[in-house]
């Protein structure tokens, strides 16, 4: 460190990018974990390629991981990138325009061969011409230096090449004063049966760290102090993992067996994978042959007395829609998790979108209302998975949870909750009957029907997709009865407004502009509104988590502002609901690019409206 200065900064945005086989997701996640251990606040955004086996060096195969870490509270992975680490020409081609002016590029010079440049569509080598003139370019022969560092271990050249991401990680650790010990410990646990891999990755990491220390390319290191986080125990939490923990917690708090039935689909598969490891908690997981079989098994599991859950994305939810309607008419408790991605059809399966709101609200035949909940951060995914289970069991109804790809794969420091403070999960199975059992007799407060487990003496009853007669549950084609049952099911969902807490307003409770959001737009909206309020502009932020029913105080809140802006990663689905429900001339800010909102987009639109 002799002769090198240390500059203290508030926050940094780093993006690691390379081929899908270069380990960029692992590199980014290891850096994020280390930043979390140091005490920084952070938000991540993994960006996966859609092609499973794209040609090496092609634009379609580029994988990236972005992280913003800070000494203050932050809500987004950042707009402009401060440091871009690229492992090949294709990664540079895709991502260099997101760098801020004067930002730094670390490039693996070893990979900028004639073949790779041609694959990425570069007419000349951008490391040697003026293409990157406005940035600080650091060319490092990473592949060559890694090969030297591990040459005496005797590993195959392909295995050696796979460690180059750890060299890059070591350089970045040195630049920002991060410790390497947690990553070395992770190597020792991850590769404990392959000691040669522990040694190779450790050498590559230390070689990168030492290169930063001795190289004249780096005259300055940067210090980002810990953030003022609330005291407690934290872990680096992704949205999908939080959902799995929320479901498990609901199962244990309610003392009810958890059954997960589903079919693998990006970006929801992680939830099924995670729950499959919880056999010691009594969790049962079933990987079905298709989406329809998955939801069919879940409906059956709910009928049999389980906390029944399925998770999918838009195309899978479309296949499940008929069986979800069956769960509506039979009034069985189950949780349907939709990790939204860009559509329609297969769309862009690894990119994010919020375009399944209408599908969750209306994507079934007939009048089939359901409660729909939407977390807004990775950590909130835990609480709303838990809440969905609680509501499903209390009201005897299917419940939708709308997450999306950016929440599912993104991470933030998550304060472990006090489980004793969670709202209790109260439900009961029907024990028996002194007379004729009426399966559709309802609780006066919730309108929930009795949950009668098959085989319970004196509780035999009909079940199925045909309309039920009120009270008896017998098949009925009577027009008046159908009208009654449709209205009862609707009234049950509408009555859930008493479960919704008052809507929180960030800013003034009346003013010029209210920015109304839902789901993963939270971070961009809050960051933009915070910034503009520091300029004394009249702008506030409200974020809703209950999409159906809508919060009971929302209409009154909207009337207190001159203008309402609704940013969404769709073409205006909540905007249409608000305009029709409250007759408010809400204005949408809509982007469908497969990426989260940037704070700058929101701020620019607010300024325009003001």
């Amino acid at each position: 460190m002799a002769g090198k200065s240390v500059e203290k900064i508030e926050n940094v945005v780093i993006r690691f990018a390379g081929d899908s086989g270069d380990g960029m997701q692992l590199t980014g996640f290891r850096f994020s974990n280390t930043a979390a251990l140091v005490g920084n606040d952070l938000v991540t955004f993994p960006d996966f390629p859609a092609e499973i086996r794209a040609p090496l060096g092609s634009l379609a195969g580029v994988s990236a991981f972005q992280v913003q870490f800070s000494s203050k509270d932050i809500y987004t992975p950042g707009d402009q990138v401060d440091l871009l680490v690229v492992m090949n020409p294709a990664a540079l081609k895709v991502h260099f325009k997101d760098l801020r002016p004067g930002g730094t590029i670390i490039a693996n010079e070893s990979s900028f061969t004639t073949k790779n440049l041609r694959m990425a569509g570069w007419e000349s080598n951008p490391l040697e011409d003026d293409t990157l003139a406005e940035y600080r370019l650091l060319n490092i022969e990473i592949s060559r230096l890694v090969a030297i560092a591990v040459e005496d271990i005797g590993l195959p050249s392909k295995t050696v090449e796979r460690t180059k991401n750890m060299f890059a990680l070591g350089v970045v650790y040195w630049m920002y004063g991060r410790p390497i010990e947690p990553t070395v410990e992770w190597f020792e646990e991850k590769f404990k049966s392959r000691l040669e891999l522990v040694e190779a990755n450790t050498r590559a990491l230390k070689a990168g760290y030492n290169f930063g220390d001795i190289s004249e390319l780096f005259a300055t290191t940067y210090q980002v102090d810990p953030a003022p986080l609330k005291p407690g125990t934290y872990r680096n939490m992704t949205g999908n993992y939080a959902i799995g923990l929320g479901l498990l917690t609901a199962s244990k708090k309610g003392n009810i067996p958890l059954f997960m039935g589903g079919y693998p689909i990006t970006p929801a598969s992680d939830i099924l994978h995670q729950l499959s490891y919880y056999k010691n908690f009594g969790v049962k997981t079933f990987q079905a042959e298709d989406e329809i079989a998955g939801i069919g098994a879940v409906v059956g599991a709910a009928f049999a007395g389980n906390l029944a859950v399925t998770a999918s994305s838009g195309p899978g939810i479309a296949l499940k829609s008929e069986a979800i309607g069956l769960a509506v008419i039979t009034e069985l408790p189950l949780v349907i998790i939709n990790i939204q991605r860009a559509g329609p059809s297969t769309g862009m399966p690894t990119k994010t979108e919020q375009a399944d709101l209408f599908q969750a609200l209306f994507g079934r035949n007939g009048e089939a209302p359901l409660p729909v909940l939407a977390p807004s951060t990775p950590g909130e995914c835990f609480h709303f998975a838990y809440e969905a289970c609680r509501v499903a069991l209390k009201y005897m109804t299917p419940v939708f949870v709308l997450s999306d790809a950016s929440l599912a794969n993104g991470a933030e420091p998550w304060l472990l909750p006090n489980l004793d403070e969670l709202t209790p999960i109260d439900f009961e199975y029907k024990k028996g009957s002194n007379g004729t059992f009426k399966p559709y007799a309802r609780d006066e407060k919730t309108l929930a029907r009795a949950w009668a487990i098959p085989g319970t003496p004196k509780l035999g009853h009909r079940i199925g997709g045909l309309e039920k007669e009120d009270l008896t549950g017998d098949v009925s084609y009577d027009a008046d009865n159908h009208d009654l049952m449709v209205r009862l099911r609707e009234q049950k969902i509408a009555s859930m407004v008493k479960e919704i807490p008052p809507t929180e307003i960030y800013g003034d409770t009346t003013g010029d502009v209210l920015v109304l959001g839902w789901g993963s737009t939270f971070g961009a909206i809050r960051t933009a509104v915070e910034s503009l309020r520091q300029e004394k502009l009249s702008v506030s932020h409200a974020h809703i988590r209950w999409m159906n029913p809508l919060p009971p105080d929302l209409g009154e809140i909207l009337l207190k502002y001159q203008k309402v802006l609704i940013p969404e990663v769709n073409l205006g689905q909540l905007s249409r609901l608000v305009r029709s429900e409250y007759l408010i001339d809400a204005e949408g800010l809509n982007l469908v690019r497969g990426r989260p909102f940037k704070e700058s987009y929101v701020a620019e639109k607010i300024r325009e409206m003001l």
Side-chain angles (χ1 to χ4, degrees):
M1 297 286 289
K4 308 221 175 182
S5 63
V6 179
E7 179 182 340
K8 182 178 286 191
I9 52 179
E10 192 172 75
N11 60 283
V12 180
V13 179
I14 301 174
R15 185 180 296 172
F16 300 93
D19 202 83
S20 56
D22 287 339
M24 295 295 93
Q25 302 303 321
L26 173 62
T27 307
F29 203 73
R30 294 318 311 164
F31 186 91
S32 302
N33 273 4
T34 304
L37 286 170
V38 171
N40 300 128
D41 196 10
L42 62 93
V43 180
T44 71
F45 175 61
D47 189 8
F48 302 94
E51 300 295 329
I52 297 173
R53 292 186 181 275
L56 290 175
S58 67
L59 301 181
V62 173
S63 176
F65 188 106
Q66 181 167 315
V67 54
Q68 178 176 203
F69 63 105
S70 177
S71 59
K72 65 174 186 176
D73 288 344
I74 55 174
Y75 308 103
T76 76
D79 276 16
Q80 291 187 306
V81 177
D82 299 302
L83 171 65
L84 175 63
V85 180
V86 294
M87 306 307 288
N88 64 10
L92 181 65
K93 184 85 169 184
V94 171
H95 292 290
F96 82 94
K97 292 182 180 178
D98 290 336
L99 265 174
R100 65 171 175 80
T104 300
I105 299 172
I106 294 177
N108 177 19
E109 188 176 10
S110 305
S111 70
F112 279 70
T113 63
T114 301
K115 176 184 177 182
N116 286 344
L117 289 167
R118 185 171 61 252
M119 282 286 291
W122 290 106
E123 295 181 0
S124 61
N125 190 339
L127 305 186
E128 299 173 353
D129 58 26
D130 295 331
T131 303
L132 307 175
E134 64 177 303
Y135 310 112
R136 180 186 177 212
L137 178 61
L138 306 177
N139 297 329
I140 306 174
E141 292 186 278
I142 294 177
S143 297
R144 183 181 67 83
L145 293 172
V146 163
I148 294 172
V150 301
E151 62 183 351
D152 61 333
I153 299 179
L155 292 174
S157 58
K158 286 186 176 180
T159 303
V160 172
E161 179 69 6
R162 290 194 188 104
T163 67
K164 66 180 183 288
N165 60 327
M166 291 299 110
F167 184 100
L169 180 60
V171 172
V172 179
Y173 276 164
W174 185 86
M175 288 181 66
Y176 295 99
R178 309 288 96 172
I180 66 172
E181 289 78 13
T183 301
V184 173
E185 292 172 5
W186 183 83
F187 292 153
E188 293 170 348
E189 175 61 27
K190 176 73 173 177
F191 303 118
K192 57 187 175 183
S193 62
R194 297 283 305 277
L195 296 182
E196 72 278 12
L197 296 183
V198 175
E199 180 67 15
N201 281 281
T202 300
R203 286 195 192 184
L205 181 71
K206 290 181 176 180
Y209 192 92
N210 293 333
F211 180 87
D213 192 17
I214 65 175
S215 172
E216 295 182 359
L217 291 175
F218 301 93
T220 303
T221 63
Y222 303 93
Q223 177 181 332
V224 181
D225 291 335
L229 300 175
K230 181 180 177 181
T233 302
Y234 287 80
R235 66 173 298 165
N236 200 18
M237 180 62 67
T238 64
N240 272 358
Y241 199 82
I243 284 176
L245 290 181
L247 297 172
L248 177 62
T249 303
S251 170
K252 304 312 291 184
K253 290 282 284 187
N255 193 28
I256 178 173
L258 175 61
F259 177 91
M260 169 72 170
Y263 181 76
I265 182 171
T266 301
S269 302
D270 292 343
I271 301 170
L272 178 60
H273 298 163
Q274 178 192 356
L275 291 177
S276 70
Y277 287 104
Y278 295 156
K279 297 180 181 69
N280 56 313
F281 291 108
V283 177
K284 298 179 180 68
T285 52
F286 169 57
Q287 181 175 316
E289 64 268 29
D290 56 38
E291 296 280 8
I292 298 172
I295 186 66
V298 168
V299 173
F303 179 52
N306 293 270
L307 175 55
V309 180
T310 191
S312 189
S313 191
I317 298 297
L319 292 168
K320 295 178 188 290
S321 61
E322 182 181 8
I324 295 172
L326 173 63
V328 171
I329 200 168
T330 54
E331 299 187 50
L332 288 169
L334 54 101
V335 175
I336 306 122
I337 298 162
N338 183 353
I339 311 297
Q340 300 167 94
R341 73 189 202 192
S345 187
T346 308
M348 298 194 296
T350 61
K351 308 304 179 183
T352 195
E353 207 161 87
Q354 287 182 294
D356 294 350
L357 176 58
F358 281 176
Q359 182 185 40
L361 293 174
F362 311 121
R364 294 164 295 284
N365 63 296
E367 296 288 348
L370 289 179
V372 180
L373 310 181
S376 60
T377 67
E380 276 190 8
C381 289
F382 170 88
H383 295 284
F384 281 91
Y386 180 91
E387 182 72 355
C389 296
R390 187 186 70 83
V391 169
L393 295 168
K394 181 176 180 179
Y395 289 88
M396 287 291 288
T397 181
V399 179
F400 257 106
V401 177
L402 284 181
S403 178
D404 63 39
S406 63
L407 291 180
N409 299 313
E412 65 176 352
W414 181 62
L415 178 63
L416 297 186
N418 183 344
L419 300 187
D420 293 334
E421 296 178 356
L422 296 176
T423 306
I425 292 181
D426 297 320
F427 76 97
E428 60 181 18
Y429 302 119
K430 184 72 173 175
K431 302 298 184 185
S433 177
N434 295 326
T436 302
F437 174 51
K438 294 182 172 57
Y440 283 83
R442 299 178 182 276
D443 180 274
E444 292 182 359
K445 294 181 179 179
T446 64
L447 296 182
R449 74 174 186 88
W451 197 1
I453 306 304
T456 306
K458 300 183 179 181
L459 296 185
H461 61 286
R462 296 175 183 271
I463 197 99
L466 292 172
E467 183 61 278
K468 310 293 181 288
E469 184 179 70
D470 185 32
L471 301 179
T472 69
D474 292 341
V475 173
S476 173
Y477 299 106
D478 180 78
D480 290 338
N481 178 79
H482 176 59
D483 184 85
L484 172 65
M485 295 299 281
V486 166
R487 293 179 186 278
L488 282 172
R489 290 190 288 264
E490 181 184 44
Q491 185 181 348
K492 179 167 67 171
I493 305 305
S495 71
M496 294 179 189
V497 293
K498 58 181 175 287
E499 303 286 345
I500 305 175
T503 302
E504 295 182 2
I505 306 295
Y506 174 77
D508 301 321
T509 56
T510 183
D512 291 341
V513 174
L514 175 70
V515 187
L516 179 67
W518 70 280
S520 61
T521 56
F522 175 86
I525 295 173
R526 179 57 57 89
T527 304
V529 171
E530 275 190 354
S531 176
L532 295 178
R533 286 187 60 79
Q534 290 176 0
E535 299 178 25
K536 308 301 181 184
L537 298 179
S538 179
V539 56
S540 301
H541 174 206
H543 217 78
I544 57 177
R545 277 84 172 175
W546 278 78
M547 311 308 296
N548 190 47
L550 289 167
D553 58 357
L554 183 58
E556 182 180 351
I557 289 171
L558 296 174
L559 290 172
K560 294 180 179 179
Y561 297 87
Q562 296 297 316
K563 297 180 180 180
V564 175
L565 173 66
I566 304 180
E568 298 179 81
V569 190
N570 60 43
L571 293 184
Q573 296 185 16
L574 179 60
S575 298
R576 289 181 174 88
L577 287 177
V578 167
R579 292 169 71 96
S580 63
E581 184 74 19
Y582 304 109
L583 302 181
I584 296 290
D585 189 21
E587 187 168 349
L589 176 60
N590 305 106
L591 296 172
V592 281
R593 298 177 180 176
R595 301 179 63 83
F597 264 95
K598 291 185 175 181
E599 171 266 335
S600 56
Y601 294 160
V602 182
E604 181 181 352
K605 182 62 179 180
I606 295 170
R607 291 183 187 279
E608 177 188 314
M609 295 176 71
L610 287 169

